[in-house]
Amino acid sequence: MVEGMRMDLWKSRYINFDELYIYCYYVAGTVGLMSVPIMGIAPESKATTKSVYNAALALGSQIN
């Protein structure tokens, strides 16, 4: 997340989606990843830990 904040200091436009994805990972995806341990995973959930973390990461980079 800190790396994303550093990126804000020197860059404000991204040439392509690959560059934008990296930025989104740092500023939004990492927030999702850090939120999982705080919010937890419901004991009755059938989702794997890996799928929960992947979903949390995707929240920062989904384009709909």
Side-chain angles (χ1 to χ4, degrees), residues 11-30:
K11 193 165 190 169
S12 62
R13 294 193 174 251
Y14 297 90
I15 296 170
N16 55 42
F17 183 75
D18 290 338
E19 280 191 4
L20 180 60
Y21 179 83
I22 291 168
Y23 175 74
C24 289
Y25 168 81
Y26 283 121
V27 299
T30 56

Side-chain angles (χ1 to χ4, degrees), residues 2-53:
V2 173
E3 184 60 29
M5 292 178 188
R6 285 187 187 122
M7 291 171 78
D8 284 336
L9 296 173
W10 58 271
K11 193 165 190 169
S12 62
R13 294 193 174 251
Y14 297 90
I15 296 170
N16 55 42
F17 183 75
D18 290 338
E19 280 191 4
L20 180 60
Y21 179 83
I22 291 168
Y23 175 74
C24 289
Y25 168 81
Y26 283 121
V27 299
T30 56
V31 174
L33 294 175
M34 291 185 289
S35 298
V36 173
I38 295 166
M39 291 190 265
I41 301 170
E44 66 275 6
S45 174
K46 295 192 183 342
T48 65
T49 301
K50 182 178 179 177
S51 71
V52 170
Y53 275 94

